[in-house]
């Protein structure tokens, strides 16, 4: 194991100050009201995070991204006494995806619309709330909700990214901005939803936007000034403009169809970024290409580096170190942005420092963290797009039928585009040696729309399920040890489980969407020991921390509700401790607006045109066939359908911009909104007919 010289110094300094830190920890622990300046996080503290196991100072607590708490006051023998210590209502009804930090008695969380809140970790008293005032109209540049997954802390500062692409540093004590820089390029539809990571005074952050037209990248910034230090593009730009470096030239050789640069290429670094202190590398995952359909992106069938890849760059200057692409010429939306965990484990009887991922594509991978050499790839869920991975070449053995864009035939894909594992945290317990994966099984028909009905008729046993579970995975043997019960989301949608948190109390905490609960399992054998009725979906993962001698478990909850976009969704931060007996109030009842009764005014051709407009511009947020994701309004219930003028005021003139519905004028042609209104009325009519049918008693 070689440690860079800068780190040797840091490690030495860390050893020298650790005793003082521990002493400091005691005073911080017992005197939460008379604190030194908060969030004094630095390299020494983060490298020695296990010496302050009561803190949660970075996104996954440690640079290993293992998402494990070494606390054991709450354990498998006393968990029956775990109850709610306090909760805080969060001012939103949108999805909550944040992982809190807890540093020196203060909890920091993010809220939708890139807001940040600081709370007293013992009482829940709000210390400050910062709103970066992202313009509502920016929502049309966001694929998947106005989410944010967390902040980073360093030297008294709280650092986070915003939906409109700013990177902001706040004073941890006051919540006042210290600096703010525009991080994303101006000209395209970028957004930031992921948590930054910080090491040696450098902030590492990427962006989202590959559903639109962006060119992915990861950046490093000076944490004190906000100055950008380097940028690593994940796909090559227009060769005529010259390549930024040799790596881009190498990547460009894997794109066979000129013009890819016009749509940006995609490959955004929207979630996983891991700092490997052993090798001084920044290791990150990239998302789908743009367009997502590989044939439309590159009919020449190039691998398209670094789309859906794991890439390592040197932390110092952002220069390329290694890459691995699990799905060359990717076409199934198998983003590779899932958490990248560092493990020191035996592989084939040899101690190795590896980086591991439970990929959206269904395989659990190990790579040598220094070189990127593929060491193992084994499915952790149902997989039918590949029969395996060739360890010698690193390439998957792709099942030809899984590419309908080449065969012209329907295929029932698993994992479907929702994946086998998404952004939800997985957790590793060094005590059990198991990785706890929020895993899903998703089957989805892909291929020509007009053949799907016939396919279903010909294959009546076609699986079309989307289920989630907690899977305990032995990363050495590469096999499942246990799994929780399956969670089925009857309403559909793309999320079903929350993140996982393993603790030294032989527990794994894990929430879910369908049962609206936060549960604990015995880490060794998966026995379900405890659960709490959260009254709303749990999408994020929990953390655990200690203040004044008490261990707490905290989880931010809030997800889609049956009443849709306008319904209160019980978004809250819930904090538990042994003996906690706070009662969680019910969510106020809500009645959904009725389906529109606007009369159809158009012919079939206009409705068909409207369907195409809807699919191109509206479906991403408002749901396929109008079956809205409840995080955005169900347009079949919109009062605006009663008049063209009302609809145009919203769609073309941006009347609801501040609520997130910006003007689509630049994306629409003359007559599109008329067709759109006709289509939405047809959907409302169909839904009313279906409701009337199902209201008739069965005989
Ligand atoms: Ca994607």
């Amino acid at each position: 194991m070689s440690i860079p010289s800068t780190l040797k110094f840091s490690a030495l300094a860390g050893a020298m100050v650790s005793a003082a830190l521990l002493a400091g920890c005691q005073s911080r622990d017992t005197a939460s009201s008379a604190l030194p300046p908060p969030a004094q996080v630095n390299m020494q503290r983060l490298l020695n995070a296990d010496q302050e196991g009561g803190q949660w100072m970075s996104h996954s607590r440690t640079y290993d991204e293992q998402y494990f708490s070494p606390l054991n006051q709450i354990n498998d023998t006393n968990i029956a006494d775990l109850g709610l210590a306090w909760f805080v209502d969060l001012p939103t009804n949108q999805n909550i995806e944040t992982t809190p930090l807890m540093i020196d008695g203060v909890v920091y969380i993010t809220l939708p619309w890139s807001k940040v809140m600081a709370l007293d970790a013992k009482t829940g008293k709000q210390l400050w709330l910062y709103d970066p005032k992202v313009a509502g109209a920016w929502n049309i540049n966001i694929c998947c909700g106005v989410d944010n997954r967390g902040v980073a802390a360093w030297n008294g500062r709280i650092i986070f990214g915003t939906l409109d692409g700013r990177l902001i540093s706040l004073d941890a004590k006051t919540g006042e901005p210290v600096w703010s820089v525009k991080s994303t390029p101006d000209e395209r539809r970028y957004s930031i939803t992921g948590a930054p990571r910080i090491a040696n005074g450098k902030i590492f952050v990427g962006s989202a936007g590959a559903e639109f037209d962006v060119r992915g990248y990861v950046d490093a910034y000076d944490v004190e000034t906000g100055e950008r230090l380097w940028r690593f593009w994940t796909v090559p730009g227009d060769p005529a403009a010259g390549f930024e470096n040799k790596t881009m030239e190498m990547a460009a050789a894997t794109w066979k169809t000129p013009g890819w640069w016009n749509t940006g290429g995609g490959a955004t670094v929207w979630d996983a970024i891991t700092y490997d202190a052993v090798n001084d590398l920044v290791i990150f995952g990239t998302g789908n290409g743009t367009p997502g359909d590989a044939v439309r992106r590159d009919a020449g069938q190039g691998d398209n580096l670094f789309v859906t890849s794991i890439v390592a760059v040197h932390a110092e200057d952002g220069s390329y170190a290694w890459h691995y692409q699990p799905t060359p010429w990717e076409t199934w939306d198998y983003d590779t942005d899932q958490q990248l965990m560092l493990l020191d484990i035996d592989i084939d009887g040899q101690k190795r420092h590896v980086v591991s991922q439970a990929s959206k594509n269904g395989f659990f991978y190990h790579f040598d963290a220094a070189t990127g050499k593929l060491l193992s790839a084994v499915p952790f869920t149902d997989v039918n797009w590949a029969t395996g991975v060739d360890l010698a070449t690193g390439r998957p053995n792709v099942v030809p039928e899984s590419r309908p864009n080449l065969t012209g035939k329907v295929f029932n894909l698993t994992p479907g585009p929702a994946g086998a594992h998404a952004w939800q945290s997985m957790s590793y317990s060094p005590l059990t040696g198991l990785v706890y994966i929020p895993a899903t099984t998703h089957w989805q028909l892909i291929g020509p729309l007009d053949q799907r009905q016939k396919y279903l008729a010909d294959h009546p046993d076609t699986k079309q399920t989307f289920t989630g579970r907690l899977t305990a995975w032995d990363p050495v043997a590469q096999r499942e040890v246990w799994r929780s019960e399956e969670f089925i989301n009857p309403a559909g949608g793309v999320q079903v489980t929350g993140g996982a948190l393993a603790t030294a109390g032989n527990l794994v905490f894990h929430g879910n969407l369908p049962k609206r609960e936060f549960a604990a399992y015995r880490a060794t054998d998966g026995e379900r020991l405890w659960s709490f009725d959260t009254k709303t979906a749990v999408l994020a993962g929990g953390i655990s921390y200690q203040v004044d001698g008490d261990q707490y478990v905290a989880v931010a909850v809030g997800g889609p509700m049956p009443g849709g976009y306008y319904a209160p969704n019980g978004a809250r931060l819930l904090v538990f401790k042994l003996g906690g007996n706070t009662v969680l109030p019910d969510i106020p009842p809500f009645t959904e607006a009725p389906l529109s009764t606007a009369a159809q005014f158009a012919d079939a051709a206009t409705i068909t045109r409207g369907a195409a407009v809807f699919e191109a511009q509206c479906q991403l947020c408002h749901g396929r066939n109008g079956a809205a994701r409840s995080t955005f309004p169900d347009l079949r219930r919109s009062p605006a359908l009663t008049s063209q003028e009302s609809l145009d005021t919203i769609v073309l003139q941006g009347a609801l911009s501040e609520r997130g519905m910006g003007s689509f004028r630049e994306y629409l042609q003359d007559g599109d909104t008329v067709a759109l209104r006709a289509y939405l009325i047809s959907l409302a009519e169909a839904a009313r007919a279906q409701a009337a049918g199902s209201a008739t008693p069965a005989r």
Side-chain angles (χ1 to χ4, degrees):
M1 170 189 311
S2 75
I3 296 179
S5 54
T6 51
L7 281 172
K8 277 180 191 151
F9 174 79
S10 299
L12 202 64
M16 287 191 294
V17 299
S18 60
L21 268 177
L22 280 173
C25 180
Q26 297 303 323
S27 61
R28 269 191 290 269
D29 201 312
T30 50
S32 55
S33 57
L35 293 172
Q40 291 297 316
V41 176
N42 55 36
M43 203 65 198
Q44 285 75 24
R45 286 185 82 182
L46 286 178
L47 286 172
N48 298 295
D50 281 343
Q51 294 177 18
E52 298 184 75
Q55 310 268 351
W56 198 286
M57 297 184 285
S58 65
H59 189 66
S60 303
R61 198 183 69 81
T62 56
Y63 279 129
D64 293 338
E65 302 283 338
Q66 291 181 356
Y67 221 102
F68 169 76
S69 170
L71 300 175
N72 63 5
Q73 186 180 80
I74 301 165
N75 58 55
D76 58 346
T77 67
N78 61 16
I79 184 138
D81 295 333
L82 190 66
L84 191 62
W86 54 266
F87 71 93
V88 169
D89 288 317
L90 304 179
T92 181
N93 64 351
Q94 297 291 293
N95 287 352
I96 300 294
E97 299 188 352
T98 189
T99 295
L101 300 188
M102 200 301 292
I103 308 160
D104 305 339
V106 180
V107 170
Y108 304 91
I109 60 171
T110 55
L111 304 177
W113 291 105
S114 320
K115 296 173 189 175
V116 184
M117 185 185 270
L119 303 153
D120 183 299
K122 192 173 170 181
T123 65
K125 177 174 177 281
Q126 183 178 311
L127 303 176
W128 50 259
L129 172 66
Y130 179 74
D131 179 358
K133 298 200 168 14
V134 174
W138 192 264
N139 197 16
I140 73 170
N141 300 318
I142 297 159
C143 80
C144 315
V146 291
D147 317 310
N148 188 287
R149 289 185 294 281
V151 301
W154 191 270
N155 192 25
R157 307 285 185 244
I158 298 299
I159 316 277
F160 68 104
T162 67
L163 290 169
D164 56 2
R166 287 170 285 163
L167 187 65
I168 297 177
S169 172
L170 302 177
D171 183 316
K173 189 175 179 65
T174 63
E176 294 295 322
V178 177
W179 54 254
S180 171
V181 296
K182 181 69 162 50
S183 171
T184 57
D186 285 330
E187 63 273 17
R188 292 181 188 261
R189 301 169 76 179
Y190 291 94
S191 52
I192 302 177
T193 57
R197 308 300 202 275
I198 306 179
N200 289 312
K202 291 189 185 66
I203 305 164
F204 307 110
V205 65
S207 79
E211 276 64 27
F212 303 110
D213 60 355
V214 308
R215 183 184 181 196
Y217 64 85
V218 65
D219 279 348
Y221 294 84
D222 184 306
V223 73
E224 299 300 335
T225 66
E227 179 197 1
R228 198 167 86 206
L229 303 173
W230 52 255
R231 165 167 291 174
F232 180 89
W233 294 103
T234 57
V235 286
D238 183 353
F243 295 115
E244 288 86 356
N245 50 52
K246 286 280 174 203
T247 307
M248 287 300 99
E249 191 174 350
M250 177 260 277
T254 68
W255 292 73
K256 303 299 185 190
T257 308
W260 75 81
W261 51 87
N262 293 321
T263 49
T268 47
V269 183
W270 59 261
D271 199 52
I273 300 176
T274 295
Y275 174 70
D276 178 7
V278 172
N279 297 300
D280 200 29
L281 293 175
V282 178
I283 308 172
F284 52 91
T286 72
N288 56 278
T290 307
D293 179 337
V295 170
R296 286 175 58 215
R297 188 172 69 242
D298 183 2
Q301 302 191 20
D303 285 356
N304 300 166
L305 293 174
F306 297 102
V307 167
T308 55
S309 299
I310 297 165
V311 185
V313 300
H314 297 284
E316 191 56 36
D317 60 5
S319 61
Y320 169 86
W322 57 259
H323 80 275
Y324 175 78
Q325 188 181 43
T327 51
W329 199 53
E330 198 281 327
T331 200
W332 308 275
D333 198 19
Y334 288 158
D335 296 78
T336 308
D337 294 82
Q338 300 75 45
Q339 183 177 347
L340 291 158
M341 182 183 275
L342 295 167
L343 295 170
D344 292 286
I345 56 174
D346 288 331
I347 300 222
D348 298 331
Q350 202 184 338
K351 198 84 176 160
R352 313 238 7 181
H353 180 62
V354 303
V355 57
S356 305
Q357 184 182 63
S359 176
K360 194 177 177 186
N361 75 16
F363 285 89
F364 198 102
Y365 294 94
H366 294 305
F367 310 93
D368 184 295
T371 66
K373 179 180 163 46
L374 175 65
L375 302 174
S376 178
V378 175
F380 64 91
T381 189
D382 295 351
V383 171
N384 72 354
W385 64 275
T387 55
V389 178
D390 183 331
L391 290 184
T393 65
R395 298 182 78 88
N397 301 312
V398 176
V399 173
E401 291 78 11
S402 72
R403 291 188 179 273
N405 44 8
L406 292 183
T407 65
K409 295 198 174 92
V410 168
F411 183 73
N412 193 23
L413 177 74
T414 196
H421 174 216
W423 56 268
Q424 281 84 357
S425 57
M426 62 181 193
S427 180
Y428 173 74
S429 167
L431 301 179
T432 63
L434 301 178
V435 179
Y436 302 93
I437 310 166
T440 57
T441 301
H442 184 209
W443 291 84
Q444 185 169 308
L445 287 186
I446 57 171
L449 284 169
D450 56 2
Q451 292 178 26
R452 292 188 195 176
Q453 284 309 321
K454 178 162 172 16
Y455 181 95
L456 290 172
D458 294 347
H459 304 83
D461 56 348
T462 298
K463 292 182 190 170
Q464 288 188 293
T465 51
F466 181 43
T467 60
R469 64 188 173 276
L470 184 64
T471 287
W473 183 260
D474 178 343
V476 174
Q478 287 279 70
R479 66 176 178 86
E480 182 174 305
V481 174
W482 57 260
R483 64 167 67 185
S484 73
E485 74 273 42
E486 297 275 340
F487 307 112
I488 301 167
N489 184 1
V494 297
Q495 310 206 75
V496 70
T497 90
L501 166 70
T503 74
N506 197 22
L507 296 170
V508 192
F509 292 89
H510 178 241
N512 64 76
L513 181 147
K515 293 172 76 174
R516 298 186 189 133
E517 65 173 8
F518 188 54
Y521 301 83
R522 190 185 286 128
T524 41
D525 64 9
E527 186 174 331
R528 187 180 154 103
L529 300 175
W530 175 87
S531 73
F532 182 86
D533 175 8
T534 53
K535 306 183 191 290
T536 185
V538 184
L539 306 176
I543 68 165
S544 190
Y545 62 83
Q546 186 164 339
V547 178
D548 291 351
D550 289 327
Q551 182 186 352
Y552 295 82
V553 173
V555 64
V557 303
M561 295 300 279
Y565 170 82
Y566 298 99
N569 77 340
R572 289 162 169 152
L573 180 66
L574 307 181
V575 179
F576 303 90
K577 65 184 271 194
L578 292 175
N581 57 8
T582 299
V583 175
L584 191 63
D586 285 335
I587 301 169
F590 177 81
T591 305
E592 197 171 19
L595 290 159
S596 174
T597 54
Q600 185 55 269
F601 62 92
D603 58 17
T606 305
I607 293 170
T608 302
R609 175 178 165 186
V613 172
F614 183 87
E615 185 178 343
Q617 302 297 345
C618 317
Q619 180 172 293
L620 196 57
C621 291
H622 293 285
R624 187 180 288 275
N625 298 329
R629 288 183 187 185
S630 57
T631 47
F632 292 101
D634 180 345
L635 299 183
R636 301 169 303 177
R637 300 169 193 277
S638 171
L641 296 187
T642 51
S643 91
Q644 192 64 44
E645 190 187 0
S646 298
L647 190 68
D648 289 353
T649 304
I650 298 166
V651 179
L652 298 178
Q653 292 163 33
L656 299 181
S657 279
E658 281 313 304
R659 277 153 59 176
M661 174 60 197
S663 166
F664 276 71
R665 186 180 289 280
E666 70 171 293
Y667 304 104
L668 297 173
Q669 311 293 320
D670 279 355
D672 275 356
T673 60
V674 174
L676 183 61
R677 181 169 155 247
Y679 174 64
L680 293 172
I681 289 172
S682 78
L683 292 177
E685 282 179 337
R688 278 189 288 124
Q690 192 181 22
S694 63
T696 307
R699 296 195 180 272

